[in-house]
Amino acid sequence: MIFNNEFGWSEIISFLSFIVVLIGAIFTIYQWRKSSTLKRADYINDLTEKIRTDTDIRDIIYLIDYGDPCNPWYNSYFHNSGELERKVDKTLSYFSYICYLKRKKIISDDEFMFFRYEVERILINRQVKEYFFNLYHFANKFGNPFTFVYLFEYGKDMKIYEDEFYNKNSKNYHHYLNF
């Protein structure tokens, strides 16, 4: 067996062409990753901006953070309140969507950090817990998850709900829905 170590011009040109294609592919991948990162950053910015600029969401976050504990917003009139119920549901749906994005790994844990404070403030709020207690047991009565399931599941994963929450006969929570 004899090896010929001579390279002709065609081999050299082929090798150089390969190097040029490889460099072009690396540059293309780099540009694609940079573009993808910028799109993700824009998406996260859009999500955070909605929290700041949507008046319904902003009002409900303010109500949750600074509402009067002596005058609870979740009470026997809530489910007939119209506008308040719509705003609360819109806000909780939005944050449930963000928790859905986290659960499906569409946004990373680092990206979720932009929302974690608001999500956890919402979930530890006594009125939200009261609302979730009623929705959870009402939905279970019919064998369905309730609308804010991803937000609820995030709270469950974070151990926000005490054992009494899961007792439909609990005396620690008000019963405003028929379950």
Side-chain angles (χ1 to χ4, degrees):
M1 189 179 278
I2 298 174
F3 291 99
N4 186 357
N5 289 336
E6 293 181 25
F7 293 103
W9 284 108
S10 64
E11 286 86 7
I12 292 171
I13 292 172
S14 293
F15 179 73
L16 291 176
S17 296
F18 172 75
I19 296 298
V20 169
V21 168
L22 183 62
I23 291 170
I26 290 170
F27 181 74
T28 301
I29 291 170
Y30 171 77
Q31 289 295 98
W32 175 79
R33 289 197 66 200
K34 187 175 178 181
S35 173
S36 177
T37 301
L38 286 171
K39 285 180 185 176
R40 288 181 69 81
D42 282 344
Y43 184 61
I44 297 301
N45 185 55
D46 290 346
L47 291 172
T48 57
E49 277 301 304
K50 183 169 174 100
I51 295 168
R52 310 284 181 260
T53 60
D54 186 295
T55 55
D56 293 342
I57 293 173
R58 191 179 63 223
D59 290 350
I60 296 306
I61 288 175
Y62 186 85
L63 178 66
I64 288 170
D65 277 344
Y66 304 109
D68 181 2
C70 297
N71 188 18
W73 56 264
Y74 186 68
N75 53 39
S76 59
Y77 304 107
F78 176 80
H79 292 286
N80 294 318
S81 66
E83 192 66 13
L84 177 60
E85 184 177 11
R86 184 192 65 75
K87 286 180 174 184
V88 168
D89 286 354
K90 177 180 178 180
T91 301
L92 296 177
S93 289
Y94 188 73
F95 282 98
S96 190
Y97 172 67
I98 290 171
C99 291
Y100 163 82
L101 294 174
K102 180 185 182 327
R103 169 74 53 102
K104 298 298 182 182
K105 300 187 184 322
I106 296 169
I107 62 173
S108 69
D109 289 340
D110 284 346
E111 292 165 334
F112 182 75
M113 293 301 289
F114 285 100
F115 311 103
R116 185 174 173 190
Y117 174 80
E118 281 97 353
V119 167
E120 291 183 9
R121 290 287 298 159
I122 288 167
L123 289 170
I124 65 171
N125 179 272
R126 178 63 188 181
Q127 298 304 303
V128 172
K129 282 184 174 182
E130 290 269 350
Y131 188 27
F132 277 17
F133 172 81
N134 281 270
L135 292 175
Y136 175 80
H137 291 290
F138 185 77
N140 278 347
K141 178 180 178 180
F142 299 103
N144 295 317
F146 65 89
T147 307
F148 319 114
V149 67
Y150 291 100
L151 182 59
F152 174 76
E153 290 293 328
Y154 178 81
K156 195 174 176 182
D157 293 345
M158 298 303 293
K159 301 186 181 353
I160 300 280
Y161 317 109
E162 66 281 355
D163 290 341
E164 191 65 18
F165 178 92
Y166 300 101
N167 175 5
K168 72 177 185 175
N169 298 315
S170 174
K171 302 295 182 204
N172 293 341
Y173 291 92
H174 295 94
H175 295 235
Y176 296 128
L177 295 175
N178 183 16
F179 57 87

